[in-house]
Amino acid sequence: MSDHLIFHKSHPGKIGYSLPSLDVPEVSPSDVVGSEFLRKKELHLPEVTEPEVVRHYTNLSTKNHHVDKDVYPLGSCTMKYNPKVNDAMANLTGFSLVHPNQLVETVQGALAVISGLEEQLKAITGMSRFTLQPSAGSQGELVGVLIMHKYHEMQGNRKKTVLIPDTAHGTNPASVAMAGYEAVQVRSNEKGRVDIEDLKNKLNDDVAGMMLTQPNTLGLFENDILEITRLVHEAGGLMYMDGANLNAILGLVLPMDMGFDIIHINLHKTFSTPHGGGGPGSGPIGVVENLVKFLPVPLIDEKDGQYYLNDDLPNSIGRVHTFFGNFGILVRAHTYILLLGIEGIRTISRQAILNANYLKARVKNAYDLFQDDHCMHEFVLTAVKQKKAGVKALDIGKRLLDYGFHAPTVYFPINVPEAMMVEPTESETVESLDRFADALIKIDDEAKNNPDLLINAPYSTPVRRLDEATANRSLTLRWTPDH
Ligand SMILES: *Cc1c(COP(=O)(O)O)cnc(C)c1O
């Protein structure tokens, strides 16, 4: 393992750069900053040639799976291909070198991008305004629930709870708790949708609102959405849409028309900016007209053809991020939407739905489906049948790595035993969907004939099975020469 580090390729005197010779007088660092500020030990840097650096990082980049390598069907995460033109735009120096403390007059172009993206998101959702500050879906959720809280506070309401279906992403109850509410679970019915009777039973004066993922995390459209939003509104609550699954309904349904008051969007999922490995992301929050006054400051507004930062929102929940959020991500999303246009945007969802239904039909004889219904952009398989032979969803996921694919999301949603949540996205061709389906079917054969093979997979990856809990709890990211 240890010779994989670039430090182990280092030899004194190897050089990967060339600089012209010094043509100014040389000064000693201690004369400039004072010796007390100088490091006592020499800085240990690897000494390597340029080709060694290039090869090192090129090889590293292929050790892990990524969407530029092959299919990445991680359900709920929308690991679609990110067009390189988005990166090219974000790397233009007019965007990448702009400083957030520059005078507003000098960053009009950057503000036009942010404002233009806000207009696009409004058109896609029907919402009245957006903040683009939150840096993830989960931070957006917290912002959205704080807006809900402020709304009730201004009305003089004392609310205590927020309703969340049992299929929800774990960040939903976490955000609700952080905002000072208690999460109350609503059951799903046998069709994988919100159980309306259970919802009615749980609605009362304490309910501040409901967080709902549409389509839900089973990949199913909540058909009773109009009744759900009506019931919650009648009880005095607000409707929050977890928009992480927006990829299924772009240009087909407006969240506002379904009765949602607040929505978060994951730009890093739906609008094609790279994600994974912890960021950076962007989770804009959109609201209907009567909640605009609570949005974080500043909003970016226009007057006499000039953009300015509008801090004049006395009822705002305050700032939630430094400056303008993750600006590079906003440039990528704006580029992506501009290039596609409304017809292109609609095609994303149609293709994503078609791909998911095609893949589902190809594998449904080998694996049990949680719900054999038309799915939206993703579907949930269960490995209960394979488990009888001693093979778990986890083993199937690990074996997929040997076939060159990323695993689906496993063990989520939590109401499905041995869940495998598959989201192919619109990026895949019928050929790549077929290759992936063939691998899943072959793995089912292996489960029947040679379960031990799967229990010890993967075989072809740089590392085998990791102790994930320990890896998360005691991170060692620093390498020192004495190590
Ligand atoms: C990804 C996701 C979230 C959280 O978004 P992050 O950007 O990862 O914080 C919330 N809900 C659902 C359904 C998701 O898939």
Side-chain angles (χ1 to χ4, degrees), residues 75-78 135-141 167-172 213 215-217 242-245 264-266 268-269 275 281-283 378 412:
S76 212
C77 293
T78 313
S135 47
S138 43
Q139 196 194 3
E141 289 174 26
T167 49
H169 195 266
T171 50
N172 290 188
T213 310
N216 67 29
T217 63
D242 178 330
N245 289 344
H264 89 248
I265 293 176
N266 303 63
H268 47 288
K269 294 178 181 173
H275 71 296
S282 179
E378 63 193 354
F412 178 75

Side-chain angles (χ1 to χ4, degrees), residues 150-188:
K150 187 94 185 188
Y151 163 83
H152 287 300
E153 191 183 283
M154 300 285 289
Q155 307 262 312
N157 294 341
R158 299 230 166 273
K159 306 282 185 184
K160 296 188 189 128
T161 60
V162 174
L163 304 182
I164 302 182
D166 52 9
T167 49
H169 195 266
T171 50
N172 290 188
S175 303
V176 161
M178 279 185 81
Y181 285 127
E182 188 195 329
V184 172
Q185 200 173 76
V186 181
R187 264 201 313 272
S188 302

Side-chain angles (χ1 to χ4, degrees), residues 30 40 66 68 70 160 178 247 371 373 389 426 458-459 464:
S30 55
K40 304 288 175 278
H66 48 85
D68 288 351
D70 215 323
K160 296 188 189 128
M178 279 185 81
N247 213 52
Q371 183 62 227
D373 198 348
E426 71 279 8
Y459 302 93
R464 303 279 301 276

